[in-house]
């Protein structure tokens, strides 16, 4: 049968989406098309990240974004590529991007979906050739299709996501996503321009021995977190921190581990953004059997109050997240 042939040469993303079509709550195919649009943009961004040093698209763009960060050229390029692909795809009515101060209203009266995106995650690593990523969340708009975009469409808690995923531009380029029926990983075959299913049904190990945190801010950590870090050291865990959330998250998802970007005295809500970093990875983590909290509550239950709001993030193997929360609670 064709399915056995497909498995022997590898299932492409397109074929997988088609096979899973009946899993989608709204099997009219728009979400499938939207996932394809995102995959297409990621292939273009992949090509540009692979040649940044040659095409003079490395380095700073010369503007500061709403985060107060100096935008890198690739931040801007990736933002344009993804926004353009989502506009052309026709399924999306609004985009929230790390790189745009305001909601981008695509003026698309038939778009059913809202996308929140971090077009390029780990920008500080672009020029030193360390893995970077893209993170996205997909929601259905809440107000009637064709009506003006409202706050209700945009400020949705993470538990309303219909899909979420990330692209990892690493030693190989991977697309990992969920539509609420488990997590599947696809590896990009450059020579064919196709993503092939390489990591079916990804599962987070229940426990792990890797902790990822920027200990440079140790003196600003709350007491419970300091105690948890000492606990990790007593257990001889490995410290692994790349400075690219997607890469750290992906390694911990495969091997078991916890990634922490905590509240600090300088950044009481941490650094990572709820709408286009924490929510997407929290949905993926939970769909893979992992956990994601802000230290005391589930990320997916946080009601957003502002577009670029930040949240502390404790994410990865459920037993490790629970242990960290235990230490935080004990030292409140
Ligand atoms: P972005 O490049 O999208 O702004 O995100 C960067 C984030 C995340 O990728 C990374 O883990 C974290 O910033 C690193 O922050 P520190 O350098 O403060 O550790
Ligand atoms: Mn940034
Ligand atoms: Mn980011
Ligand atoms: Mn970014």
């Amino acid at each position: 049968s064709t399915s056995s042939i497909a498995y022997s040469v590898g299932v492409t993303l397109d074929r997988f989406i088609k096979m899973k079509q009946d899993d989608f709550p709204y099997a009219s195919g728009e979400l499938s098309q939207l996932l394809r649009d995102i995959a297409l943009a990621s292939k273009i961004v992949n090509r540009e990240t692979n040649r940044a040093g040659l095409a003079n698209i490395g380095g700073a763009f010369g503007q500061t974004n709403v985060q107060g960060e100096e935008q890198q050229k690739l931040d801007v390029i990736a933002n344009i590529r993804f926004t353009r692909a989502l506009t052309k795809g026709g399924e999306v009515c609004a985009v929230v991007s790390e790189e745009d101060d305001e909601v981008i209203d695509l003026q698309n009266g038939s778009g059913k979906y809202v996308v929140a995106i971090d077009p390029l995650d780990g920008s500080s690593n672009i020029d030193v050739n360390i893995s970077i990523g893209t993170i996205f969340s997909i929601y259905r708009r809440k107000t009637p299709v064709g009506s003006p975009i409202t706050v209700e469409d945009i400020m949705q808690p993470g538990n309303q996501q219909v899909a979420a995923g990330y692209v990892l531009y690493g030693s190989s380029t991977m697309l990992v996503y969920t539509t609420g029926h488990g997590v599947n990983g696809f590896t990009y075959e450059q020579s064919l321009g196709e993503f092939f299913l390489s990591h079916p049904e990804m599962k987070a190990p229940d426990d792990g021995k890797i902790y990822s945190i920027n200990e440079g801010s140790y003196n600003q950590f709350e007491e419970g977190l300091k105690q948890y870090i000492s606990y990790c050291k007593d257990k001889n865990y490995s410290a692994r921190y790349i400075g690219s959330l997607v890469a750290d998250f992906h390694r911990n998802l495969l091997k078991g581990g916890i990634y922490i970007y905590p509240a600090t005295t300088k950044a009481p809500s941490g650094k990572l953004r709820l709408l286009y970093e924490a929510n997407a990875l929290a949905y993926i983590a939970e769909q893979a059997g992992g956990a994601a909290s802000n230290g005391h509550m589930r990320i997916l239950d946080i009601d957003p109050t502002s577009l670029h709001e930040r949240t502390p993030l404790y994410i990865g193997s459920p037993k490790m997240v629970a242990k960290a929360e235990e230490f935080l609670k004990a030292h409140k």
Side-chain angles (χ1 to χ4, degrees), residues 245 249 252 257-261 272 277-286 290-293 299 313-318 320-321:
L245 169 60
F249 174 82
N252 292 353
I258 184 170
Y259 174 98
I260 301 172
Y261 204 106
L272 299 176
E277 287 172 312
N279 270 337
L281 298 185
Y283 188 28
I284 292 167
E286 291 196 2
S293 88
I299 290 289
L313 180 63
Y314 292 70
I315 189 167
S317 296
M320 299 184 84
V321 173

Side-chain angles (χ1 to χ4, degrees), residues 196-214:
F196 285 89
L197 181 65
S198 53
H199 297 66
E201 300 300 316
M202 294 171 76
K203 291 279 177 275
D206 217 20
D207 208 342
K209 299 184 178 345
I210 294 172
Y211 71 104
S212 307
I213 188 167
N214 183 343

